[in-house]
Structures are given as structure tokens and as C-alpha cells.
Amino acid sequence: MFIGHFAVAFLLHYFFPMVPLWIPLLGVSFPDLLWPVFIILGVEIAHFDSNSPLQKNIDFTYYPYSHSLVLTSIFAFIVGIILSFILKDITVVLIFTIASTTHWFLDIIVHNKDLPILGFSKYDKKVGFGLWNYGWKAFVIEYLFYALITVIFVRPALVLDLLLLGALFHIANINTFIAFTKKNPFAFSKYSYPIITLLGFSLFIIIATL
Ligand SMILES: [Zn+2]
């Protein structure tokens, strides 16, 4: 999932306006900022199908550090504490950790059964409800979710801008839902997809914070 995560950041910002927006934005993105770095470093494993651009066909073989419910939330809590110290605001750790944890709960809706719960046991369970298997439905539902929260919880003056921004990034991501290309344009190297993910999340955070 991509833009759907940012909607949760807007929601958190509505309830905790004293915490700067970039904190929940960074929090909801945290797992997908860690993941590309861990893939590039070889700490986590994913296989990209060169014959399919679909997200559902990415084989997320091993990503307990960036995408488990428990372990990733612990990492988020540690990063949150550091951010709390920097910003001298204890609320930051709470917002950052909640934001990061919601990433897992939204990801399990779309992913196939590949998201670990604990992240550190060999008896760990993996979950996922597989909405990505229904291309157009998944595409529309993610945008509707983003739009609904944006319309309800974002300051009226910013609603249109953020709806457009979300639409732009979502459309840029459409091939991973619908497969307009038969080949995966980002499977030419094992680093290309992680780098695109990193750029996508970073760019959205920067633009939405401006
Ligand atoms: Zn994710």
C-alpha cells in the first residue's frame, strides 16, 4: 500500500495538531522506508517478478524487521524516543509509534499472507487478506480511503491540494495494480524497485509537508 498510509498521518495530525505533520507522515512510512534499505543491504529478502509489474507478485520472502507487527513497532518506538528528545516533546514517541504500527494493519488488507506478526520467532505466523488480487477494486478502494479521510480530517484550505497530490502519486503507481505493461519495468535490477519505493515515500512526505 502507498497513499493509503498517508491518510492515517492526516488523521493523527487532526487529533494531535501540536505534533508537526512530518512526524506522522514519517511514522506511517517508516516500514516502507526501512524495507528498501534492508533489501539493498541484503538484511531482508524479496523477489521481483520480471514478467509481472503487479505488487501481488512481489515475493516478500523475508522482511521481519521492516514489516512485522511487534518487532517493527519496537523499532519505531526506539526511533520515536530519539525524535521525542530532538523535538523535546514526549507526545512524538506516541504518534510516531502508532503511525508506524498502523502501516502493518493497512498492509495486511492488501498483501497476500506474507506479513509476520512477531518478527522474531520461527513459529511466527504470517497474515494478509490479499486485496491486491482484485486490481481495480484495490486501486479504487485505496484512493477512496485516502480521499474520505482527507476530506473529513484535513483543513478545508488544503483538501483539494492533498486530494490532487494523492491522485497523482496513486496514478503513478497504477501499473502495480492493473499491469498495463506485461513486463515489470522496475525489475531490471534487484535495487530498482526498492529505490523507487524509497523515492516515492520520501517525495510524498516532502511535498505534503511544504
Ligand atoms: Zn509496507
Side-chain angles (χ1 to χ4, degrees):
M1 181 175 281
F2 184 29
I3 62 158
H5 293 298
F6 299 122
V8 178
F10 301 153
L11 186 71
L12 284 167
H13 190 58
Y14 174 83
F15 287 107
F16 301 92
M18 66 298 278
V19 174
L21 176 63
W22 66 268
I23 291 288
L25 282 172
L26 200 65
V28 297
S29 310
F30 183 62
D32 276 352
L33 293 172
L34 281 187
W35 176 74
V37 177
F38 286 164
I39 292 292
I40 290 166
L41 294 175
V43 177
E44 294 192 335
I45 304 164
H47 298 287
F48 307 97
D49 186 349
S50 56
N51 291 313
S52 166
L54 295 171
Q55 303 173 86
K56 68 167 183 163
N57 289 332
I58 299 174
D59 183 5
F60 296 98
T61 316
Y62 181 74
Y63 60 162
Y65 307 111
S66 69
H67 275 80
S68 63
L69 173 59
V70 177
L71 192 57
T72 308
S73 297
I74 293 171
F75 290 153
F77 181 71
I78 295 167
V79 173
I81 288 176
I82 297 167
L83 289 169
S84 266
F85 271 110
I86 295 170
L87 296 180
K88 298 183 178 56
D89 178 1
I90 196 66
T91 335
V92 168
V93 62
L94 183 74
I95 304 306
F96 188 83
T97 311
I98 292 174
S100 172
T101 304
T102 66
H103 185 107
W104 190 88
F105 284 100
L106 287 185
D107 266 5
I108 59 167
I109 298 170
V110 294
H111 276 240
N112 290 314
K113 272 188 181 347
D114 55 30
L115 286 151
I117 294 177
L118 296 174
F120 48 76
S121 163
K122 65 175 177 175
Y123 304 108
D124 206 356
K125 223 174 135 65
K126 289 182 178 177
V127 289
F129 301 121
L131 184 60
W132 275 342
N133 292 304
Y134 307 90
W136 277 110
K137 257 189 219 161
F139 183 76
V140 172
I141 289 171
E142 184 171 341
Y143 189 74
L144 284 181
F145 174 73
Y146 173 90
L148 194 71
I149 292 189
T150 302
V151 167
I152 298 174
F153 294 101
V154 169
R155 208 150 39 91
L158 291 176
V159 167
L160 195 60
D161 285 356
L162 288 175
L163 285 180
L164 285 173
L165 185 68
L168 207 68
F169 275 74
H170 199 42
I171 289 167
N173 193 28
I174 193 169
N175 201 35
T176 68
F177 289 87
I178 314 297
F180 292 119
T181 62
K182 292 293 159 234
K183 296 272 177 196
N184 186 343
F186 300 118
F188 51 87
S189 107
K190 69 171 185 168
Y191 303 126
S192 42
Y193 198 93
I195 289 171
I196 291 288
T197 306
L198 204 55
L199 285 178
F201 274 86
S202 309
L203 208 59
F204 190 100
I205 295 172
I206 293 167
I207 298 173
T209 310
L210 290 176

